[in-house]
Amino acid sequence: MKTQLALPITKVQNSRLPEIDFSNLVFGRTISDHMFVADYKDGEWSDLRIEPYGPLSLNPANATLHYGQSIFEGMKAYRNDDGKILVFRAEANWRRLNESAERMCMPELPEEIFMEGLTQLIDLDRDWVPSAKGASLYVRPYMFATDDYIGVKPSETYKFIIFTCPVGNYYSKPVSVKVETKFTRANEGGTGAAKTAGNYAASLYPALQAQKAGYDQLLWTDGKSHSKIEESGTMNVMFKINGKLITAPTNTGTILKGITRDSVIQLAKEWNDPLEERFLTVSELETALIDGTLDEAFGTGTAATIAHIQRINVNGKDYILPAKSEDAFSYRVLAELDGIKYGHAADQHGWIISI
Ligand code: COI
């Protein structure tokens, strides 16, 4: 049997758990008692520990604050009916973290540190995993530069932290999106595929304009021609047109390799639902909205899960999507993924670790 990494654990003196209203969770506002921390210096990760969640001390010259060497992941843990905690696709998150790290000149994080930090932290704070339908423990692993140096170069020291938050739905109702053809999220050769803080910072201004106009999110288009749909601000996107699912490919380096996206694609293939990984053009989308061949549009993401899209603005005009039938792909895939995550359906893909 694999031995556990011996992590020093400092527990909180008074848990905040009794203060939490689990029936009223706002996404990302409630943080659990503990966090896992590891420090990188002299070419290796050391000082692995679990300690009370709390403020960090940073020097004003901290490199992340100036140049944004910062990457993160989002994953979820679920409580099953037997009280076990099930973590969804942790290995995929670990792999993607390291892909982002490579692009951002940050050190690789060994799998053992990621997995041991993750599982021991979740085990310690297992009472924070909600049990209500649709609720889960959102897990936020992230890494950032800690050098105190304001020259522009990769930092030589880093911190890796995992903390967790009990959450409900990110979107509590179907979303409205606007096709963005002026601002750009990512260009080929840029950092679009990396889960790095700057991508999110750059998206805030355009997203805010759309939110002021009544939309929840943008549908980003390619940076060169603004004619091809890429992804949305918090999720990848999929469309079902004339019975065929279409989602943007991830080989341009401009699109986040979503783990929910990948899970949906795997299930669609197993179910023989026709699916194309190709760019949907804005004009194809507009035509499908006008002639009624757009059956479904939905986002896929860890936080967003499967988020139904109800309204799309293309070229200044709003289109409301038709009501979906009960056997719509997005309902089926949401039910199957929820079944796997909450332990009601068989985990045939090896996606779950149980704690
Ligand atoms: C996630 O889905 O985990 C993300 O990182 C998206 C974030 C905007 C909440």
Side-chain angles (χ1 to χ4, degrees):
M1 205 179 94
K2 205 170 160 295
T3 50
Q4 260 199 350
L5 209 61
L7 294 181
I9 298 179
T10 311
K11 291 189 185 170
V12 291
Q13 295 201 328
N14 295 305
S15 172
R16 286 177 280 107
L17 201 50
E19 298 157 23
I20 309 305
D21 177 3
F22 276 84
S23 61
N24 198 11
L25 293 169
V26 179
F27 188 96
R29 290 258 179 241
T30 307
I31 317 281
S32 318
D33 279 334
H34 299 93
M35 60 185 182
F36 169 74
V37 185
D39 290 312
Y40 183 86
K41 64 172 185 299
D42 301 328
E44 60 182 46
W45 288 100
S46 60
D47 202 10
L48 280 47
R49 67 229 185 241
I50 290 179
E51 57 189 39
Y53 174 84
L56 302 168
S57 136
L58 292 181
N59 189 302
N62 171 279
T64 306
L65 302 180
H66 300 269
Y67 308 121
Q69 248 191 315
S70 173
I71 57 174
F72 69 96
E73 280 300 315
M75 45 200 300
K76 278 183 177 166
Y78 304 80
R79 183 181 295 281
N80 78 3
D81 295 340
D82 305 328
K84 289 228 171 65
I85 310 302
L86 309 181
V87 187
F88 186 67
R89 301 207 65 180
E91 196 213 340
N93 284 93
W94 165 72
R95 283 187 194 287
R96 191 174 63 180
L97 179 87
N98 279 329
E99 285 174 23
S100 300
E102 187 180 1
R103 178 63 181 84
M104 302 305 291
C105 296
M106 298 168 85
E108 189 176 328
L109 186 88
E111 184 173 10
E112 189 186 29
I113 296 181
F114 186 93
M115 292 299 176
E116 288 284 327
L118 176 77
T119 51
Q120 293 193 39
L121 177 70
I122 293 177
D123 194 21
L124 179 64
D125 279 341
R126 60 189 303 128
D127 291 347
W128 286 81
V129 184
S131 46
K133 192 172 177 298
S136 58
L137 189 77
Y138 185 77
V139 181
R140 174 51 62 88
Y142 65 114
M143 188 196 295
F144 62 96
T146 52
D147 273 9
D148 296 324
Y149 173 66
I150 56 162
V152 181
K153 72 169 191 60
S155 179
E156 287 170 14
T157 62
Y158 295 88
K159 243 186 212 318
F160 173 70
I161 298 182
I162 308 177
F163 66 80
T164 68
C165 334
V167 296
N169 289 328
Y170 193 86
Y171 293 115
S172 50
K173 53 182 179 42
V175 295
S176 295
V177 293
K178 174 179 171 287
V179 175
E180 175 60 62
T181 52
K182 179 178 167 210
F183 294 101
T184 298
R185 176 187 173 273
N187 255 317
E188 287 187 30
T191 58
K195 208 159 168 62
T196 184
N199 288 340
Y200 292 82
S203 74
L204 295 177
Y205 179 81
L208 193 62
Q209 308 311 307
Q211 281 152 13
K212 281 183 185 159
Y215 302 93
D216 299 294
Q217 264 303 334
L218 295 173
L219 282 183
W220 292 105
T221 52
D222 67 289
K224 228 184 255 175
S225 65
H226 291 295
S227 65
K228 297 180 279 188
I229 307 285
E230 295 218 312
E231 63 176 83
S232 186
T234 47
M235 52 199 185
N236 297 108
V237 281
M238 300 199 177
F239 302 90
K240 190 169 172 197
I241 298 180
N242 273 331
K244 195 178 285 175
L245 290 159
I246 302 170
T247 192
T250 55
N251 58 4
T252 54
T254 57
I255 290 171
L256 189 81
K257 289 185 187 161
I259 292 162
T260 308
R261 172 191 179 279
D262 179 72
S263 310
V264 170
I265 290 175
Q266 285 197 47
L267 290 173
K269 286 183 179 162
E270 287 162 23
W271 295 344
N272 292 322
D273 280 83
L275 180 139
E276 287 178 1
E277 281 184 73
R278 68 159 177 94
F279 286 106
L280 180 71
T281 65
V282 176
S283 69
E284 269 182 289
L285 173 63
E286 193 172 23
T287 305
L289 283 161
I290 292 169
D291 68 17
T293 51
L294 179 68
D295 306 323
E296 296 179 59
F298 55 96
T300 64
T302 298
T305 66
I306 302 295
H308 293 105
I309 297 176
Q310 188 179 47
R311 181 167 61 118
I312 306 183
N313 183 287
V314 189
N315 293 324
K317 192 167 177 331
D318 269 356
Y319 297 89
I320 308 289
L321 270 71
K324 283 175 292 302
S325 65
E326 270 174 25
D327 65 343
F329 177 83
S330 47
Y331 287 142
R332 273 191 287 133
V333 84
L334 176 61
E336 179 66 14
L337 285 172
D338 276 352
I340 297 169
K341 292 166 176 177
Y342 289 96
H344 300 142
D347 172 29
Q348 284 162 345
H349 308 85
W351 284 343
I352 295 292
I353 50 175
S354 166
I355 300 176

